[in-house]
Every structure is written in structure tokens, then in C-alpha cells.
Amino acid sequence: MRSNNEQHKKAEALAPSGIGRTKTRVDAKAELLSRLESQRTSTTTLLEKIVDYENLEKARNHVMKNGGSGGVDGMDVKELEKWLWTNITHLRNDLLTEQYKVSPVRKVEIPKPQGGTRMLGIPTVKDRLVQQAIHQRLNPYYDKHFSKHSYGFRPGRHAGQAVLQAAEYVKSGYEWVVDIDLEKFFDKINHDRLMSRLKKGIGDKKLLRLINEFLKAGLMEGGLVEQRISGTPQGGPLSPLLSNIVLDELDRELEARGHKFCRYADDCNIFVKSEKSGKRVMESVIKFIEHKLKLKVNREKSGVRHCSEVRFLGYTLMAEGKIRVSDKSIDRLTFKVKEITKRNRGVSFSTMIQELNKVIVGWANYYKLANTWLSTIRDLDGWIRRKLRCYKLKQSQRPRTTQRLLYTLGASIHKSWNVVMYTKGWWPKSLHPTVSHCMSPAWFSRQGLQSLSSRMCR
């Protein structure tokens, strides 16, 4: 006869796997409600801390450092310090007595590299100051309880960490990705659900009403104000925190189900071991997002794909967890380089190199995690140098000037004239062996040009 212990183990093995998860979900919900109740009790006078002088000055410094264009009132960021110095007492009183008037946000649509547009709502500088002050006091209550799988808009966390964690999942055999695209997420956030969630954790009713005013601030375009019934447009300092509060529900659900995932803002990838299980997970998660969170999933862009076919935060993950720069990220870089190196720009060669360096250094710093397909990076370096050679040659214009340039750079008289007589155009000339020798990688380095491969291929 089998022992009681063996029978117990067998019973556990035969028990539905959902039972353990249900208990975990119930326990997690009870813990969350208890925490929010405690948090609500401790935040009944939070607005007073938001408007204290030290917090407002810190918010002012942050807004001025970030810069950006002004809102509908025309006030520039540079004017904020003088304005706050004169009006800080009135601002504090208006906020505490609920007399502060939230201005409409200026609607701006910027093109996406892959087509379409992204809407930005640019608040006035004064509204950005108030939102930043709220964020500084409110974020500590929420951030410490957010999921470890959430990486976006959080202190001490960044996109690189999400990419490295995703690579670890792939390395462990979870090569299939449930790639869910939230349709215009920031524009579709349900105000009622968000405010209901905030009320559970914030006890200061004045603060809640102020946040609600920011959510409902109209969008101004062409002098006309369009009222908003959903969304928290990108552009305000408070929007990132509010978006994380909304999507924390998704994080908790995925954790309760035991999924391996990484989320950066509205970019969330779930990693599974097979396409079949991925399709099952996708349908279930879409149902949760649309029915529970009241958000819209773009089914055309969503799908279950092998990791090598997915772009995550500008990278693509290969089998065994190798990391490469995605094709679209390379396309964006080449587009920027083409814009800077247009042959009809008429800027000095040194100015062009300075502009390129800003792009090269920033791009290389972000994509330094790439550890495969690095020959592509070396090819990009060569292509950038060729674009510059072409521009340098065209600056010379006349045959005699071009010959003198090449002679000055070390070519013989015969070889320099040979290039000049090579009449196939500036782009073919830029690949001529004499030109490549005169304007070599070492020569470009002496001109101060930064190199992608020297920063990334170490």
C-alpha cells in the first residue's frame, strides 16, 4: 500500500493547475487592497506636500531642464523661473483652494517612421510644472509596488534591462513571442476606470479632482478646443505614471498566470515555448485587455511570432538569446544620416561632422547591447564615410579645386587628375580607390568623426 505522502503527491499532480493560480490571484488581490487602503489613509493631505516650496522648486528645475516648446498660452520654458518667483504664493493658494485653472493642451501630430502619426498633447509650462510636482510626490507611493517586469518611466530602470531580460527568456528556450499591440494606448485610456483606480489609493479628494481636470483638459488645434473623454496624451509629466498605473493591472494578471514577460510602457512581449501555446495565450490576454482594461488591441499588428521576427525596443532577439539591432532601427539611422549629409545643404564639413556625431554617439550608446550581426554596424560606418567623401568632393565643385584637394590629402598629381577625369558623378567618385585612400578611416578620425563600430564592436 502506498504511503499517505505518496497519495497526497498524486492528488496534487492530478489537481487542476488553475487552483493554485486562483489562490495566488486571490491572495495578491487581498494584499493589493490592503496596501491601497493603507496608502489612501496616508495621503489625505498629499496636495499640501505637493505645493510646498521645495517640491515646486524641484519641479521647476526639472521642467526647465527638459525644455520643450510652450503651450497654448505662449509662455516659454525660459520664462518659468521668473514667473514662479513672482507667482508662487498665488499658485499655491489657487491649488489648495481649487481655484487653479487647467489650460487646454496644444495638439501636435508627429509622423511615425513606419507611417501614420502620433499625437502629442503639449501642456502649458505652468501645467507641466504642476504635473511634475504631483508626479514627484505621487510616484514614490506607486513605483515601489510596480511589477519587476515593468521597465518604462521608472527611476533606476531602463529599456536595456528589459532587452537583456528578454534575451535571457529566449536563451532559456522561450523563443516564441506573444506580441500584442495596444492601439493608440495613450489616447484610449479610460478616464472612469483610471479615476476609480486612483480613488482606491489616494485619500486627498482635492488632488483627485485636480488630476481629473488634467485628464479632461481639451485639445486645442487651430484655435478650436476639442473636449477629451479618454486618453492621457503623451507630452505631460504625469502621463507616464498614469499609464503605468493602468497597465499594472495587466502586469499583475500576467504574473498570476505565471507568464514570462517584459513591459516597457505599452510595449509588452510575452515569451512562450511554442507557437501553439502562444496563440492560446494571445487570445486569453486580448480578452483580458479589451474586456477588463477597456483598451483596444490592434489585431492586425498583434501576433505570435518567432523572436527573430519581432522588434522589441529597437532590437531583435535571435535564437540562443543573441541580440541584434532591428532592421527598422537601422533604417531610421540611415534616414537621419541622409538628411544631415544632403549635398545641397551648404554647411561646412566640420559642422556636418558635429551633427553626425550627435546622432552616432546617441545611437551607439543605446544599441550597445547588440552582440551579433555586427558586420552591419561596420558597413554603416563605411557608408557614412562614403557619404561624407561625396559631400567633400562636391564642395570642391571645379575640377582644378578637386585636384588640389586630393593632392593636399596625399594623392599624386597623376592619381588626383585621374579622379577628376572620372566622370560618373559624385557618388561613384566617392568610391574611387584614390579618394578612399586620401579620406581613409584614420583621416576621418583626425577630423573628429565618431565611429559606430569602435563604440559597439568591442
Coordinates of all heavy atoms in Angstrom, one line a residue, residues 45-79:
T45 N -3.8 64.4 2.9 CA -3.4 65.8 2.7 C -2.2 65.9 1.8 O -1.3 66.7 2.0 CB -3.1 66.4 4.1 OG1 -2.0 65.6 4.7 CG2 -4.3 66.4 5.0
L46 N -2.1 65.0 0.8 CA -1.0 64.9 -0.1 C -0.8 66.2 -0.9 O 0.3 66.6 -1.2 CB -1.1 63.7 -1.0 CG 0.1 63.4 -1.9 CD1 1.4 63.2 -1.0 CD2 -0.1 62.2 -2.8
L47 N -1.9 66.9 -1.2 CA -1.8 68.1 -2.0 C -0.9 69.2 -1.3 O -0.2 70.0 -1.9 CB -3.2 68.7 -2.4 CG -3.2 69.9 -3.3 CD1 -2.5 69.5 -4.7 CD2 -4.6 70.3 -3.6
E48 N -1.0 69.2 0.0 CA -0.2 70.2 0.8 C 1.3 69.9 0.6 O 2.1 70.9 0.6 CB -0.6 70.1 2.3 CG -2.0 70.6 2.6 CD -2.4 70.5 4.0 OE1 -1.4 70.2 4.8 OE2 -3.5 70.7 4.4
K49 N 1.7 68.6 0.5 CA 3.1 68.3 0.3 C 3.5 68.6 -1.2 O 4.6 69.0 -1.4 CB 3.3 66.8 0.6 CG 3.1 66.5 2.0 CD 3.4 65.0 2.3 CE 3.1 64.6 3.7 NZ 3.3 63.2 4.0
I50 N 2.5 68.5 -2.1 CA 2.8 68.8 -3.5 C 3.1 70.2 -3.7 O 4.0 70.6 -4.5 CB 1.6 68.3 -4.4 CG1 1.5 66.8 -4.4 CG2 1.7 68.9 -5.8 CD1 0.3 66.3 -5.1
V51 N 2.4 71.1 -3.0 CA 2.6 72.6 -3.2 C 3.6 73.2 -2.2 O 3.7 74.4 -2.2 CB 1.3 73.3 -3.1 CG1 0.3 72.8 -4.1 CG2 0.7 73.2 -1.7
D52 N 4.4 72.4 -1.5 CA 5.4 73.0 -0.6 C 6.5 73.6 -1.5 O 6.7 73.2 -2.6 CB 5.9 72.1 0.4 CG 6.8 71.0 -0.1 OD1 7.6 71.2 -1.0 OD2 6.7 69.8 0.4
Y53 N 7.1 74.6 -1.0 CA 8.1 75.4 -1.8 C 9.2 74.5 -2.4 O 9.6 74.7 -3.6 CB 8.7 76.5 -0.9 CG 7.7 77.6 -0.6 CD1 7.1 77.7 0.6 CD2 7.4 78.6 -1.5 CE1 6.1 78.7 0.9 CE2 6.5 79.6 -1.2 CZ 5.9 79.6 0.0 OH 5.0 80.6 0.3
E54 N 9.7 73.7 -1.6 CA 10.8 72.8 -2.0 C 10.4 71.9 -3.2 O 11.2 71.8 -4.2 CB 11.4 72.0 -0.9 CG 12.6 71.1 -1.3 CD 13.0 70.2 -0.1 OE1 12.5 70.4 1.0 OE2 13.9 69.4 -0.3
N55 N 9.2 71.3 -3.1 CA 8.8 70.5 -4.2 C 8.5 71.2 -5.5 O 8.8 70.8 -6.6 CB 7.5 69.7 -3.8 CG 7.2 68.6 -4.7 OD1 8.0 67.7 -5.0 ND2 5.9 68.6 -5.2
L56 N 7.9 72.4 -5.4 CA 7.6 73.3 -6.5 C 8.9 73.7 -7.2 O 9.0 73.8 -8.4 CB 6.8 74.5 -6.2 CG 5.3 74.2 -5.8 CD1 4.6 75.4 -5.4 CD2 4.6 73.6 -7.1
E57 N 9.9 74.1 -6.4 CA 11.2 74.5 -7.0 C 11.9 73.3 -7.7 O 12.5 73.5 -8.8 CB 12.1 75.1 -5.9 CG 11.6 76.4 -5.4 CD 12.4 77.0 -4.2 OE1 13.4 76.3 -3.8 OE2 12.1 78.1 -3.8
K58 N 11.8 72.2 -7.1 CA 12.4 71.0 -7.7 C 11.7 70.7 -9.1 O 12.3 70.4 -10.1 CB 12.2 69.8 -6.8 CG 12.8 68.5 -7.4 CD 12.7 67.3 -6.4 CE 13.2 66.0 -6.9 NZ 13.0 64.9 -6.0
A59 N 10.4 70.8 -9.1 CA 9.6 70.6 -10.3 C 10.0 71.7 -11.4 O 10.1 71.3 -12.5 CB 8.1 70.7 -10.0
R60 N 10.2 72.9 -10.9 CA 10.6 74.0 -11.9 C 11.9 73.6 -12.5 O 12.0 73.7 -13.8 CB 10.7 75.3 -11.1 CG 11.2 76.4 -12.0 CD 11.9 77.5 -11.1 NE 13.1 76.9 -10.5 CZ 13.7 77.5 -9.5 NH1 13.2 78.6 -8.9 NH2 14.8 77.0 -9.0
N61 N 12.8 73.2 -11.7 CA 14.2 72.8 -12.3 C 14.1 71.7 -13.3 O 14.7 71.7 -14.3 CB 15.1 72.4 -11.2 CG 15.5 73.6 -10.3 OD1 15.4 74.8 -10.7 ND2 15.8 73.3 -9.0
H62 N 13.2 70.7 -13.0 CA 13.0 69.6 -13.9 C 12.4 70.0 -15.2 O 12.8 69.6 -16.3 CB 12.1 68.5 -13.2 CG 12.1 67.2 -13.9 ND1 11.3 66.9 -15.0 CD2 12.8 66.1 -13.6 CE1 11.5 65.7 -15.4 NE2 12.4 65.1 -14.6
V63 N 11.4 70.8 -15.1 CA 10.7 71.3 -16.4 C 11.6 72.1 -17.2 O 11.7 72.0 -18.4 CB 9.4 72.1 -16.0 CG1 8.8 72.8 -17.3 CG2 8.4 71.2 -15.4
M64 N 12.4 73.0 -16.6 CA 13.4 73.8 -17.3 C 14.5 73.0 -17.9 O 14.9 73.3 -19.1 CB 14.0 74.9 -16.4 CG 12.9 75.9 -15.9 SD 13.7 77.2 -14.9 CE 14.8 78.0 -16.0
K65 N 14.9 71.9 -17.2 CA 16.0 71.1 -17.8 C 15.5 70.3 -19.0 O 16.2 70.1 -20.0 CB 16.4 70.1 -16.7 CG 17.5 69.1 -17.2 CD 17.9 68.2 -16.0 CE 19.0 67.2 -16.5 NZ 19.4 66.2 -15.4
N66 N 14.2 69.9 -19.0 CA 13.6 69.1 -20.1 C 13.4 70.0 -21.3 O 13.4 69.5 -22.4 CB 12.4 68.4 -19.7 CG 12.6 67.1 -18.9 OD1 13.8 66.7 -18.7 ND2 11.6 66.5 -18.3
G67 N 13.1 71.3 -21.0 CA 12.9 72.2 -22.2 C 11.6 71.9 -22.9 O 10.6 71.5 -22.3
G68 N 11.6 72.0 -24.2 CA 10.4 71.8 -25.0 C 9.7 73.1 -25.3 O 10.0 74.1 -24.7
S69 N 8.8 72.9 -26.3 CA 8.0 74.1 -26.7 C 6.9 74.5 -25.7 O 6.6 73.7 -24.9 CB 7.5 73.9 -28.1 OG 6.6 72.7 -28.1
G70 N 6.4 75.7 -25.9 CA 5.4 76.2 -25.0 C 4.0 75.7 -25.4 O 3.8 75.0 -26.4
G71 N 3.0 76.0 -24.5 CA 1.7 75.5 -24.8 C 0.8 76.6 -25.4 O 1.3 77.5 -26.0
V72 N -0.5 76.5 -25.1 CA -1.4 77.4 -25.8 C -1.3 78.9 -25.3 O -1.8 79.8 -26.0 CB -2.9 76.9 -25.6 CG1 -3.1 75.6 -26.2 CG2 -3.3 76.9 -24.1
D73 N -0.7 79.1 -24.1 CA -0.6 80.5 -23.6 C 0.6 81.2 -24.1 O 0.8 82.4 -23.8 CB -0.6 80.5 -22.1 CG 0.6 79.8 -21.5 OD1 1.3 79.1 -22.2 OD2 0.7 79.8 -20.2
G74 N 1.5 80.5 -24.9 CA 2.7 81.1 -25.4 C 3.8 81.3 -24.5 O 4.9 81.8 -24.9
M75 N 3.7 80.9 -23.2 CA 4.8 81.1 -22.3 C 5.9 80.1 -22.6 O 5.7 78.9 -22.8 CB 4.4 80.9 -20.8 CG 5.5 81.0 -19.8 SD 5.1 80.6 -18.1 CE 4.2 82.1 -17.7
D76 N 7.2 80.6 -22.7 CA 8.3 79.8 -23.0 C 8.9 79.2 -21.7 O 8.7 79.8 -20.6 CB 9.4 80.6 -23.7 CG 10.5 79.8 -24.2 OD1 10.4 79.1 -25.2 OD2 11.6 79.7 -23.5
V77 N 9.6 78.1 -21.8 CA 10.2 77.4 -20.6 C 11.2 78.4 -19.9 O 11.3 78.4 -18.7 CB 11.0 76.1 -21.0 CG1 11.7 75.6 -19.8 CG2 10.0 75.1 -21.5
K78 N 11.9 79.2 -20.7 CA 12.8 80.1 -20.1 C 12.2 81.2 -19.2 O 12.8 81.8 -18.3 CB 13.6 80.8 -21.2 CG 14.4 79.9 -22.1 CD 15.1 80.6 -23.2 CE 15.9 79.7 -24.1 NZ 16.6 80.4 -25.2
E79 N 10.9 81.4 -19.4 CA 10.2 82.4 -18.6 C 9.7 81.8 -17.3 O 9.2 82.6 -16.4 CB 9.0 82.9 -19.4 CG 9.3 83.6 -20.7 CD 8.1 84.0 -21.5 OE1 7.3 84.8 -21.0 OE2 7.9 83.4 -22.6

